[in-house]
Structures are given as C-alpha cells and as structure tokens.
Amino acid sequence: MSDLDPEITDNRETHRYELVVDGQTAVVQYNEVAGGLLISETLVPVPLEGRGIASRMARHVLTDIRDRGLVVLPTCPFFAGYIQKHREWADIVHPHYRTALGL
C-alpha cells in the first residue's frame, strides 16, 4: 500500500493534482509524456503559503509516479529544488533530468 495523501486528487481531465484547503485550491500541473509525467508548475494560493502545502503535494505526486512505474521530468523550479533536497526520489527522475539536477 502506498503513502498517497487521500485529500489530494489527480484531475486527469485538466492534467493537474489538486488539494483544496480552506476553500482554496493548490495545484501541480503536468503533461503526460511517454513513460512519465512532466511537472510544469506548482501553484499555491498566497493565503496558503508557508504551510508546507507544496511539499505535501510533491510527496504525493512523486509517490504516485513511483507507484505507477513512471518517471518524473521536473521542469517546475519548485519540484526540481524539492528533488535536489530529497534525493530519495532520484531513482524516478528521467536520466536526462538527473544530470541537469546534479543527481
């Protein structure tokens, strides 16, 4: 069983993971590519900033990617930085991005 956060949903129709907190929606936008997800943007509404929401979403998205046997292509600056700090996710980073991130 995975460690997916039950409050975060994958809205595949709009290509984004969503988390509603206090009536506001934080999102991680992605594009599907052969064998993986290209993470393009992480958006947290200003009133929700500083509460660890982006990190919470990153853990969920990366767990989902790993559980699905995919790779991540982190073009989003937040995701790239998160993975650089949390190298336990390096194994699911696309090889070309590993090099770019110094992993």
Side-chain angles (χ1 to χ4, degrees), residues 13-86:
E13 189 173 301
T14 60
H15 302 283
R16 65 189 209 169
Y17 289 86
E18 302 170 342
L19 174 62
V20 178
V21 177
D22 297 338
Q24 305 224 18
T25 305
V27 301
V28 172
Q29 297 180 320
Y30 65 85
N31 291 305
E32 294 181 46
V33 296
L37 294 183
L38 185 146
I39 305 299
S40 58
E41 194 168 28
T42 302
L43 301 168
V44 176
V46 173
L48 302 179
E49 288 179 355
R51 294 170 57 179
I53 290 171
S55 293
R56 177 178 168 189
M57 292 187 77
R59 283 188 303 276
H60 175 91
V61 170
L62 292 167
T63 298
D64 190 37
I65 290 170
R66 179 176 279 154
D67 288 353
R68 293 168 56 192
L70 301 174
V71 295
V72 61
L73 296 83
T75 63
C76 166
F78 174 80
F79 257 77
Y82 184 88
I83 291 168
Q84 286 174 315
K85 291 178 187 170
H86 301 275

